Amino acid sequence: MVNLLVKRFVKDYQNTKDSGVRSAVGRLCGFIGILANLFLFVIKYVIGVIVNSVSIRADAINNLSDACSNIISIVSFVVSNKPADEDHPFGHERSETIASLFVGLIVGYIGIEMAKESIEKILHPSAIDFRIVTLVILGISIVVKLWMYAYNKKLSKVYDSSLLEATALDSISDVMGTGAVFLSTLISPLVGWNLDGYMGIIVSFIILYNAYTLIREVLNVLLGEAPDPNLVNKIDRFILKSPEVLGVHDLMIHNYGPNRLFASAHVEVDASDDIFKVHDAIDNIEREIKKAMGIELVLHMDPVKVNDPLTEHYKKLVVDAIQALGVSWNFHDFRIVSGPTHVNLVFDLVIPYDETMTPSQIEENLLAHIKSDKKVYLVLTIDHPMA
């Protein structure tokens, strides 16, 4: 049904990378979600009041909060579609991520309130009021939420939307929560013990866990998580296709939304090549990646000596020293400054974030394994892997 609505109301819906299309699909899903959640809220809250069930009323309030979340998502999709401006030169697509954070906070608040009410119900249980209509309404709720999960999950993958993914996650948690309430309503009369408050606790913990998961994922994006290794490898391979490029390092990718990726990298080039020819090749790489991958890429040229025996000799000494230490280090931007009695080895050393050795200890260990007829000094710049 939702796919038919997307085809009917979203122009150019097959252009999944277009910001306007993503926004239209997101708004459509938001409106559908509002209607579905308000419907579930009304029928569940009414029956919850009739049978005096805290877990059913809490489940209904959760649906109401979902409707509020849908409103936030609609506003977010509208804002994220705004073009870049003077105050926001990277666009507004991160508003979708920020909206996901608000959804997580709302869900978390509902979980806390539900837990408090459920504890009160456990301390002061009420008589069991079993009605078939209650099971029917809860069954309808489970079916509707499974449907909402299915279409949000599918469209989140098609249109690369974290907010639709968050909505799908919330829907499947609702299925588990309502399923727990269903079991409570069904089993309580059979065992003669009101499980309502206990099931309310279970539902609240499910909601709180999903809120925690969502908030953690959103904060990772906002704080700047490591990029997808597959994307990194794809960019590396694209850059290295150019014959002028000898190596690539310090690739950094900045995510300002699904369609707003910015990247920068350093590329090693032959110092003896014509600078205008190399610069033209670099420009071509930037334009081709923009066209093929939609990424705004800026490349910095690092000239290196090629086929210089002395440079290669000392580079091999450093490689051998790292291998002898048995560590997962690598280096780039290697050059030497040689004099009659000593030689300076200048390079950037890339070490893991969890490396325990201090910079001075690293230098001492390397020098201990470098055997040279000249006195060797290291001029190190310690780096961590950016991608």
Side-chain angles (χ1 to χ4, degrees), residues 86-241:
E86 185 175 347
D87 293 327
H88 307 91
F90 300 109
H92 298 78
E93 290 195 15
R94 271 190 178 173
S95 62
E96 182 180 335
T97 306
I98 296 171
S100 299
L101 177 60
F102 279 107
V103 170
L105 292 174
I106 290 173
V107 173
Y109 173 77
I110 294 298
I112 292 171
E113 290 300 309
M114 183 184 298
K116 289 163 61 178
E117 191 171 354
S118 297
I119 292 172
E120 182 66 22
K121 189 75 172 184
I122 292 172
L123 296 176
H124 306 285
S126 59
I128 299 169
D129 186 359
F130 176 79
R131 305 191 187 198
I132 292 295
V133 67
T134 305
L135 296 179
V136 173
I137 289 175
L138 292 175
I140 292 172
S141 176
I142 291 172
V143 171
V144 171
K145 280 295 182 176
L146 281 173
W147 170 65
M148 294 177 68
Y149 165 77
Y151 76 72
N152 278 295
K153 185 70 174 179
K154 179 179 179 181
L155 293 176
S156 72
K157 292 184 179 298
V158 173
Y159 294 96
D160 190 21
S161 171
S162 64
L163 195 46
L164 291 180
E165 174 72 22
T167 304
L169 179 66
D170 185 49
S171 296
I172 200 63
S173 70
D174 288 346
V175 170
M176 291 184 287
T178 305
V181 177
F182 184 94
L183 290 175
S184 167
T185 306
L186 181 63
I187 296 173
S188 290
L190 300 177
V191 299
W193 183 25
N194 197 334
L195 301 175
D196 187 36
Y198 299 94
M199 286 302 180
I201 290 290
I202 293 174
V203 173
S204 65
F205 274 106
I206 291 173
I207 292 172
L208 286 170
Y209 175 77
N210 284 316
Y212 161 75
T213 301
L214 176 57
I215 291 172
R216 181 188 62 190
E217 292 177 355
V218 170
L219 288 178
N220 283 339
V221 173
L222 293 176
L223 290 173
E225 63 183 345
D228 181 357
N230 292 326
L231 178 62
V232 172
N233 291 333
K234 188 175 181 180
I235 295 174
D236 279 347
R237 289 195 302 270
F238 204 113
I239 295 173
L240 290 170
K241 286 193 302 184

Side-chain angles (χ1 to χ4, degrees), residues 10 15 20 46 58 61 71 75 107 116 120 146 197 212 230 252 276 309 319 337 346:
V10 179
N15 189 3
V46 169
I61 295 297
I71 295 173
V75 174
V107 173
K116 289 163 61 178
E120 182 66 22
L146 281 173
Y212 161 75
N230 292 326
M252 292 186 287
F276 291 103
V319 170
V337 180
V346 185

